[in-house]
Amino acid sequence: MSKNKVWLVTGASKGLGLILVKKLLSSNYRVAATSRTVASLIDEIGDVSDSFFPIEMDVTSDNNVKGSINKVVDHFGTIDVVVNNAGFGQIGTLEELSDGEAKNSFDVNVFGCLNVIRHATPILRKQESGHIFNISSIGGYIGNFPGFGVYCATKFAVSGFTEALAEEMKGFGVNVTLVYPGYFRTNFLSKGSVKTPVNPIEAYSIARESEQAHLNQINGNQPNDPEKAAEVMIAVSEQEAPLVHLFLGKDAYQYAGTKIDLIQKEMEGNEALGTSTEILSE
């Protein structure tokens, strides 16, 4: 892939998004980066230039996303690689999270991603080239983390529609990659990024233990380097025929392997009952 390609990275003011943008610019790609506040992008990276276009974008607003993508095309002439990275973590059991908390998670993590896809794919489809990276999570493949059900649900949704998107884009020469990161040492679990339930229920002791473990023990001690994650994504973008599923981190591989083993065992355990539903010929 030519280093002259234009990347669009959402949620780029911190974490993996910011690291990826800096890595791309240092490798002479052209980059449009979005955030809820453009000032944060300018402070971290710099102002508008021939290679960098910071833009304020609210992924939950379809009209705002459409207008922002049009501005990117006006600035660079096209878009070649889209990274749907914007999102946040919501901690809380299914009972204790309010309707508003749950819907906000889906608005940002799911519908925000769909809004970007809706307005970016026409560009890629018409030029019959490009690449879309949708950032899910290992929690979008295995969901048995107490207190993370809604977050996992949003990432399962991303995983599901990304698999469909990969099939839909095949005829247009557009590659699609579904990224399942494990635990990376970013500010994802820090205050101001992750959200905790407004009205926690004390009875959920296991969920509270999981919550505290993530906020106090795992945060700052994650085993994976986001700089290396950015390098992997750039390398995948340069592959001639990239695979759809990209697990990032040894921990992601371990979690996925555990899920695969469990499913196989439970399919075998219920096989007689599970396959007894067919209509027998009369």
Side-chain angles (χ1 to χ4, degrees):
M1 181 176 284
S2 168
K3 295 295 178 70
N4 204 35
K5 295 283 186 175
V6 176
W7 287 60
L8 169 63
V9 181
T10 70
S13 63
K14 57 186 177 181
L16 176 60
L18 177 60
I19 290 168
L20 176 60
V21 168
K22 289 182 177 180
K23 187 79 65 175
L24 288 166
L25 290 170
S26 68
S27 299
N28 298 318
Y29 290 94
R30 294 179 290 167
V31 184
T34 83
S35 176
R36 287 172 295 178
T37 55
V38 72
S40 62
L41 293 169
I42 294 173
D43 289 343
E44 284 284 353
I45 303 168
D47 214 331
V48 178
S49 67
D50 291 339
S51 60
F52 180 59
F53 186 63
I55 185 167
E56 190 168 302
M57 187 170 82
D58 176 5
V59 295
T60 67
S61 168
D62 186 64
N63 286 333
N64 185 263
V65 170
K66 180 180 180 180
S68 298
I69 287 177
N70 286 339
K71 291 177 182 178
V72 173
V73 174
D74 288 342
H75 185 77
F76 286 125
T78 190
I79 297 171
D80 298 293
V81 183
V82 176
V83 181
N84 275 306
N85 175 68
F88 73 97
Q90 173 69 67
I91 299 176
T93 66
L94 299 182
E95 179 185 351
E96 63 194 355
L97 288 182
S98 67
D99 178 66
E101 287 171 300
K103 285 181 177 177
N104 185 47
S105 291
F106 275 85
D107 282 343
V108 176
N109 294 358
V110 178
F111 293 107
C113 187
L114 288 172
N115 287 339
V116 174
I117 290 169
R118 185 176 302 112
H119 297 294
T121 49
I123 299 164
L124 307 182
R125 181 167 49 80
K126 289 176 183 178
Q127 68 192 21
E128 296 188 334
S129 66
H131 201 142
I132 299 171
F133 287 88
N134 287 340
I135 309 298
S136 179
S137 164
I138 191 57
Y141 191 80
I142 179 169
N144 61 343
F145 299 97
F148 287 83
V150 166
Y151 173 73
C152 288
T154 65
K155 292 304 185 177
F156 265 80
V158 171
S159 299
F161 68 64
T162 302
E163 289 185 350
L165 181 65
E167 295 299 316
E168 294 167 357
M169 292 291 102
K170 276 184 177 179
F172 303 107
V174 178
N175 297 312
V176 176
T177 298
L178 170 57
V179 185
Y180 301 97
Y183 288 100
F184 278 81
R185 200 167 296 182
T186 67
N187 54 7
F188 180 77
L189 290 172
S190 62
K191 292 181 179 179
S193 294
V194 71
K195 295 186 178 181
T196 54
V198 174
N199 296 304
I201 299 172
E202 291 184 8
Y204 283 107
S205 58
I206 295 177
R208 292 290 80 76
E209 290 171 6
S210 175
E211 174 184 315
Q212 292 307 308
H214 279 81
L215 297 178
N216 299 324
Q217 283 85 51
I218 297 175
N219 185 33
N221 295 301
Q222 296 95 327
N224 294 299
D225 183 350
E227 294 273 349
K228 293 180 178 178
E231 292 169 2
V232 169
M233 290 177 61
I234 294 171
V236 170
S237 78
E238 295 171 344
Q239 293 175 343
E240 185 174 343
L243 300 174
V244 174
H245 298 87
L246 175 62
F247 290 86
L248 281 181
K250 288 184 178 180
D251 55 341
Y253 270 77
Q254 290 169 350
Y255 278 120
T258 299
K259 170 72 174 281
I260 292 167
D261 290 342
L262 175 65
I263 293 297
Q264 289 179 331
K265 289 177 182 177
E266 297 200 347
M267 286 180 68
E268 292 170 2
N270 282 319
E271 186 170 5
L273 282 173
T275 59
S276 67
T277 58
E278 63 181 320
I279 298 174
L280 301 176
S281 57
E282 297 177 358

